[in-house]
Amino acid sequence: MTGITVGFVMPHWLYWGLLVVVPLILMALTRQPGKNRLPAPVADEELALDVLAEEDPVMHAPGNAVTRALDWISNQTGTFVALWAIIPVCFYTYEVVSRQIFDMPTIWVHEASYLLFGMQYLVAGGYALLHGAHVRVDVLYVKLPQRGRVGMDIFTSVFFFIFALTLLGTGWQFFNDSYQMREVTMETWQIQHWPVKGAMVLGSALLILAGISKLIKDIMLFRRMGGVA
């Protein structure tokens, strides 16, 4: 039996570069007019109430320049990190070919992929909140009238911001400690760990921005609904 030779080892700088460059290229190549445009705010009060029959009324709720800017940030960052999912497919394809055909397994593909998915999960939180993709217990919520649901969203936003700010503070501490120690992962590849923990800080900040936008739209919608007979 011949010894197994380790194949190509991806440089750390190339890995981080791919995470930045690949999504930008794909977004540029697939961009279409109006493709990533968010739903326009509803100007008419009666139309606003009709929209409430949809599952995600806040997405279509009356907003302002601030909410549109924050929603654009959430939408763009979510699209950006969603495209990361293509990169591990290429990584594992390379791993299979290298291992099975050339008997040269890698020491970095698995680590590079699970770190990427972890960062993707963290950074995409704001996008998920914008599009109503977070888990919510609907036992009481679905029994409320539409205005009651919006009011409940406003009330529970207090707990949301407590959680998000705690996550931001804790994430910053993890990131700062990791950066100061120049921490690397414990696997053979030993890539820098502080950018991964920095994703917790970035994701928390994006989640807070999305939460601010949602709260503003909730308040505006709640007031508008209360003013309609």
Side-chain angles (χ1 to χ4, degrees):
M1 179 180 295
T2 60
I4 298 177
T5 303
V6 175
F8 167 74
V9 178
M10 175 171 286
H12 298 165
W13 63 266
L14 180 57
Y15 175 71
W16 298 118
L18 287 175
L19 298 193
V20 175
V21 173
V22 170
L24 291 177
I25 293 175
L26 293 176
M27 289 174 72
L29 292 176
T30 59
R31 185 177 301 277
Q32 299 177 12
K35 175 74 173 180
N36 295 319
R37 188 175 301 164
L38 293 168
V42 181
D44 185 84
E45 293 184 357
E46 294 183 1
L47 284 177
L49 294 180
D50 292 338
V51 168
L52 293 177
E54 301 182 15
E55 293 184 358
D56 191 15
V58 177
M59 268 289 294
H60 302 266
N64 53 32
V66 173
T67 64
R68 287 191 289 274
L70 295 178
D71 290 350
W72 183 88
I73 292 172
S74 296
N75 216 43
Q76 294 300 308
T77 53
T79 302
F80 182 91
V81 298
L83 294 171
W84 280 353
I86 297 174
I87 299 176
V89 174
C90 299
F91 285 170
Y92 279 113
T93 300
Y94 174 82
E95 167 71 19
V96 170
V97 172
S98 181
R99 178 185 294 270
Q100 299 299 325
I101 298 180
F102 300 104
D103 198 25
M104 299 174 64
T106 68
I107 62 171
W108 56 272
V109 165
H110 179 65
E111 184 177 4
S113 299
Y114 78 70
L115 289 178
L116 184 150
F117 287 130
M119 291 185 290
Q120 185 181 46
Y121 171 81
L122 291 168
V123 178
Y127 180 90
L129 181 63
L130 172 64
H131 292 275
H134 285 281
V135 176
R136 178 177 60 206
V137 179
D138 287 345
V139 176
L140 175 62
Y141 189 84
V142 295
K143 299 181 183 300
L144 296 174
Q146 291 289 359
R147 190 166 189 262
R149 295 182 189 182
V150 178
M152 179 67 77
D153 287 339
I154 295 173
F155 173 73
T156 55
S157 66
V158 175
F159 304 98
F160 163 80
F161 284 111
I162 291 175
F163 163 78
L165 289 170
T166 302
L167 183 63
L168 178 63
T170 303
W172 172 259
Q173 187 64 53
F174 288 162
F175 164 74
N176 187 57
D177 291 345
S178 181
Y179 180 78
Q180 295 295 332
M181 295 185 297
R182 296 298 189 270
E183 183 183 15
V184 298
T185 59
M186 298 180 65
E187 303 294 335
T188 307
W189 195 31
Q190 293 190 326
I191 195 170
Q192 298 88 347
H193 217 178
W194 59 265
V196 180
K197 295 185 177 181
M200 183 183 296
V201 180
L202 176 60
S204 302
L206 292 171
L207 188 61
I208 290 171
L209 293 180
I212 292 173
S213 173
K214 184 177 185 302
L215 179 59
I216 293 173
K217 289 186 287 187
D218 281 338
I219 293 173
M220 294 177 68
L221 191 57
F222 187 79
R223 289 176 175 175
R224 174 164 292 188
M225 294 174 68
V228 177

